[in-house]
Amino acid sequence: MSVMKFPLVLQGPPIWTVVLPLVVALSACGAGAIVTEGPQPTTSPSPTKAPVDLPVAGDVQAVSASHPSSAAADAMAKCQIGDSIPIQSVAGMAQIAAAKDIARYVPLTGREPQLREVGPAWIVQIRGDVPFPLSGEVWTDPTCVVTPSDFGFYGTGPIRNTSTDVVTTPEPPAALPDLALPTLAP
């Protein structure tokens, strides 16, 4: 049985083909605190967002939107960038040297299995709403992470159930990120 933790990781096939049994799975496995609220606009600031004026790490390179490397193009494909997620929604993207440092860029709990991986990781931060039609959810400002052995989305912003308008917010991160990813280069 797979155990899901919050922030939730959506793995595998294209995002629109996966159903997320979020509430049932989280309550069944006791994965951590989630907060559910009644209908709210998704424009309110997330308590898990780091300040916008973080420094960009000096050892990461901006990815070209028009001519990405083959590795960057592979990460974009796994994250559905240019397919179901417009490239204009990418707020930041880079490959970092060590997956253990993902939490320096993304608000995570520190318990995510990808943080224990050895090797580099691609991080793609999305700004805006991303619909997950089969689950009936809209994720605001999710983050896609691609490691050598895994890929998927983290719910790093509010998640709204489209049939009930209930908004679920992620568990607070262990620490707020202290680095930012570069925006896409032309």
Side-chain angles (χ1 to χ4, degrees), residues 27-92:
S27 61
C29 69
I34 61 171
V35 178
T36 56
E37 303 167 359
Q40 292 183 348
T42 56
T43 56
S44 61
S46 170
T48 60
K49 285 190 183 169
V52 290
D53 57 351
L54 293 176
V56 173
D59 61 342
V60 297
Q61 300 295 316
V63 173
S64 169
S66 58
H67 297 92
S69 68
S70 61
D74 179 60
M76 287 177 160
K78 287 178 178 172
C79 294
Q80 300 297 308
I81 305 303
D83 186 10
S84 61
I85 300 174
I87 198 160
Q88 298 83 358
S89 297
V90 175

Side-chain angles (χ1 to χ4, degrees), residues 52-145:
V52 290
D53 57 351
L54 293 176
V56 173
D59 61 342
V60 297
Q61 300 295 316
V63 173
S64 169
S66 58
H67 297 92
S69 68
S70 61
D74 179 60
M76 287 177 160
K78 287 178 178 172
C79 294
Q80 300 297 308
I81 305 303
D83 186 10
S84 61
I85 300 174
I87 198 160
Q88 298 83 358
S89 297
V90 175
M93 178 177 179
Q95 183 180 41
I96 62 170
K100 67 181 175 85
D101 291 331
I102 295 169
R104 294 197 67 194
Y105 300 87
V106 181
L108 300 175
T109 65
R111 297 185 309 267
E112 293 76 14
Q114 291 74 18
L115 297 174
R116 292 188 298 272
E117 288 199 35
V118 176
W122 285 95
I123 304 172
V124 182
Q125 292 176 321
I126 311 300
R127 288 295 173 252
D129 291 341
V130 177
F132 290 77
L134 291 179
S135 70
E137 295 174 335
V138 175
W139 290 23
T140 301
D141 300 341
T143 300
C144 182
V145 173

